[in-house]
Amino acid sequence: MQEVVKGILGKDLTNSLLNMIKEFKRLKYDDKEIYRNIKDLNDLSIMGLYLLATENNDNMAFYIKKSYDRVLNNRVVKFRESINLDCADEFLKKLNKTEVINLAYHMNLYDLSNREYNKLSEHNKYCYKILNDYIKDMI
């Protein structure tokens, strides 16, 4: 798995992520401590951290995944708040393309068919439109 992650993220970042995992283990971090350490990382780094942790026979990958889910849940809450405050574009500008796509995916609002779209509530249709338009403009 290390070679795959190195191919995607590069040698230096992969080595840094491996060092983070070693530190998490040494300090016996649980998901709460891991969350505090990864919440400001970009999604690709967190995904790399998770993939690297899957090589071990411990709970580290589980804790990283749980922490990443918390990151995504917090992002959803902040996105919904930004919609209520009519500043969704400002919120989305703070995220990179991968993070916006992951937000939409986590909300089950990414790449929907017409049938799936029609089943959405009005509020989720509005969220879908905002996210979909923003992603299209990023391309």
Side-chain angles (χ1 to χ4, degrees):
M1 186 59 67
Q2 286 185 31
E3 293 305 314
V4 172
V5 175
K6 278 183 188 175
I8 296 169
L9 300 178
K11 180 182 172 185
D12 292 338
L13 181 54
T14 301
N15 288 337
S16 295
L17 296 176
L18 287 168
N19 287 333
M20 284 179 75
I21 292 170
K22 287 177 189 172
E23 199 67 16
F24 293 165
K25 286 181 187 181
R26 188 179 67 78
L27 297 171
K28 298 183 172 127
Y29 276 6
D30 63 9
D31 58 304
K32 292 177 183 78
E33 285 94 8
I34 291 172
Y35 170 77
R36 283 193 282 277
N37 281 271
I38 70 168
K39 67 181 180 181
D40 295 324
L41 296 178
N42 65 48
D43 286 13
L44 290 176
S45 295
I46 297 171
M47 288 177 202
L49 200 61
Y50 169 76
L51 290 173
L52 293 169
T54 61
E55 292 186 326
N56 304 314
N57 292 327
D58 56 20
N59 291 329
M60 193 57 57
F62 171 76
Y63 290 151
I64 292 168
K65 172 72 170 104
K66 191 172 179 182
S67 299
Y68 182 54
D69 286 342
R70 186 172 170 194
V71 168
L72 291 171
N73 289 335
N74 288 339
R75 195 177 293 157
V76 169
V77 168
K78 290 177 183 176
F79 174 65
R80 291 194 186 276
E81 287 173 358
S82 73
I83 288 174
N84 292 337
L85 297 172
D86 200 28
C87 60
D89 275 349
E90 289 81 23
F91 173 76
L92 294 173
K93 285 179 184 174
K94 296 176 188 174
L95 305 176
N96 66 41
K97 185 176 182 176
T98 304
E99 292 167 338
V100 175
I101 291 171
N102 286 340
L103 170 65
Y105 185 79
H106 190 70
M107 294 177 70
N108 296 320
L109 297 175
Y110 183 68
D111 197 28
L112 301 179
S113 67
N114 285 337
R115 185 176 182 189
E116 293 168 320
Y117 176 80
N118 290 331
K119 290 180 182 179
L120 296 175
S121 68
E122 289 304 314
H123 180 70
N124 279 341
K125 285 180 181 177
Y126 183 63
C127 292
Y128 178 80
K129 182 178 176 1
I130 291 171
L131 289 167
N132 196 41
D133 289 348
Y134 194 83
I135 291 168
K136 283 182 182 176
D137 287 344
M138 291 178 84
I139 295 175

